[in-house]
Amino acid sequence: MAYGCYVSSDWIKVKAHLVEAQVAKSEYVDMDRHTKIYFGPEVKYRYAYNGEQFLGERYSWTVVYDKSERLLAAQRLVESYQTQSPITVFINPDAPRESVIERCESRSYLQLLVICAILLVITLSVFWIVRKN
C-alpha cells in the first residue's frame, strides 16, 4: 500500500466513465476462526489520455475492505454507473495504463511518517536504555 501511495502521488487526474461497478463481497477466516465479511467496490472504467483509450480496474492500493467506508464508496460508484456520471481517476503520465481511483492523500503519508518516526525513536530509546543498564 505505501509503495502505491508513494508512486501515485504525482499522477494526474483525468475523467473516466464506469463500464462496470458493483459492490463486491469478500470473506476470510481470521486467526480466531471467525469468518469476516467485507464489502467494497469492484469496478472497470474507461479513460483517454493523449488520444488513446484505456481500461482500468484498480479502485485503491489496499485490498482489504472495511465494513463501512468501502461499502459507501462502492455504493457511490454504483450510483455513478447507473447515472452515467463521470468519475475522476489518477493515471501515471509515464505509463498511462496504470490508474487508480482512490490514491492515498499526502496528509495520510505525513501522519504515517510521523507515527513511524515516533515509534523508531521510542524503540531506539528503549534499546539504548536496556543496553546501557
Side-chain angles (χ1 to χ4, degrees):
M1 177 185 88
Y3 177 74
C5 295
Y6 173 74
V7 299
S8 66
S9 62
D10 61 348
W11 288 9
I12 60 173
K13 290 181 186 180
V14 298
K15 291 294 180 188
H17 293 282
L18 289 162
V19 175
E20 183 180 311
Q22 61 186 355
V23 178
K25 178 181 175 181
S26 179
E27 294 183 21
Y28 80 95
V29 179
D30 67 11
M31 294 179 71
D32 295 328
R33 297 190 179 142
H34 296 110
T35 301
K36 300 286 184 177
I37 300 173
Y38 296 97
F39 297 94
E42 188 172 285
V43 295
K44 287 185 183 177
Y45 48 89
R46 188 170 304 283
Y47 58 96
Y49 182 69
N50 285 342
E52 194 173 345
Q53 292 286 320
F54 298 95
L55 183 68
E57 297 183 3
R58 181 180 297 277
Y59 172 74
S60 73
W61 294 108
T62 59
V63 177
V64 176
Y65 300 145
D66 64 24
K67 291 185 178 181
S68 60
E69 183 180 321
R70 290 289 173 90
L71 176 58
L72 294 174
Q75 290 169 337
R76 282 193 304 271
L77 286 169
V78 169
E79 183 180 314
S80 292
Y81 174 65
Q82 291 170 342
T83 62
Q84 294 298 303
S85 302
I87 62 169
T88 299
V89 299
F90 297 91
I91 65 162
N92 182 347
D94 299 324
R97 292 193 189 293
E98 297 177 7
S99 62
V100 66
I101 293 175
E102 179 190 276
R103 69 174 178 186
C104 304
E105 304 227 358
S106 58
R107 195 174 350 150
S108 299
Y109 265 148
L110 183 58
Q111 291 170 347
L112 181 62
L113 183 62
V114 168
I115 290 169
C116 288
I118 290 170
L119 290 175
L120 179 63
V121 168
I122 291 170
T123 303
L124 290 175
S125 298
V126 168
F127 180 74
W128 182 72
I129 290 170
V130 169
R131 191 165 183 216
K132 191 174 180 182
N133 291 333

